[in-house]
Amino acid sequence: MKSYLSPTNLQRIPELIKFSPEAAASYFHFEHQVYQTANTLPQKTKELIAVTVAHVTGCPYCIDVHVKKYKALGGTMEEIMEALLVAASTRAGAILSHGVNALISYEEGEENKSQKGSNDVPECFC
């Protein structure tokens, strides 16, 4: 069996695009606008952001592509590591901040359970 995450898999994107060419064209237009047309942020900064987001989303293809682009723009591994630590800290902080929702839910207890809808409807979609 072939690897799910082989970089050569990306060569099949044109095949995939054929299934929804208009939506794909919209995506590629958006990507072009973000990376090429919008110019408030330097390209190097955009690539560093892309590297960190790729790590947060866990996309190995994006990690590979954007790390290489960032390096080509003069980015260092030390900068990447610091950005990754910022992302990790921010993600951890978001988890802690969302913890107040657990606190509120816990304090509400079972009192609101009878007010929920039918048992046939999922209570959570995650």
Side-chain angles (χ1 to χ4, degrees):
M1 182 171 154
K2 290 183 178 180
S3 170
Y4 285 114
L5 304 174
S6 171
T8 60
N9 290 347
L10 296 178
Q11 295 170 2
R12 297 193 66 190
I13 288 177
E15 270 180 75
L16 195 58
I17 288 170
K18 290 178 185 177
F19 291 102
S20 187
E22 291 176 11
S26 294
Y27 165 75
F28 288 118
H29 177 74
F30 172 65
E31 183 182 53
H32 178 80
Q33 293 293 314
V34 169
Y35 282 97
Q36 306 305 319
T37 305
N39 59 11
T40 303
L41 293 175
Q43 195 65 33
K44 184 178 172 188
T45 301
K46 291 179 187 184
E47 288 301 335
L48 185 58
I49 292 168
V51 168
T52 56
V53 170
H55 280 80
V56 171
T57 61
C59 178
Y61 297 115
C62 293
I63 292 168
D64 185 49
V65 166
H66 291 290
V67 165
K68 288 176 178 164
K69 286 182 178 183
Y70 185 70
K71 183 179 178 182
L73 292 168
T76 67
M77 194 56 223
E78 291 80 9
E79 291 167 331
I80 290 172
M81 184 59 188
E82 188 169 330
L84 293 177
L85 291 171
V86 168
S89 172
T90 303
R91 186 64 190 127
I95 292 168
L96 181 60
S97 296
H98 280 79
V100 298
N101 294 314
L103 180 62
I104 292 166
S105 181
Y106 186 86
E107 289 172 349
E108 288 177 352
E110 295 290 317
E111 62 203 40
N112 292 333
K113 190 167 186 160
S114 61
Q115 297 172 358
K116 302 281 185 199
S118 166
N119 288 340
D120 296 337
V121 179
E123 292 181 7
C124 182
F125 291 97
C126 60

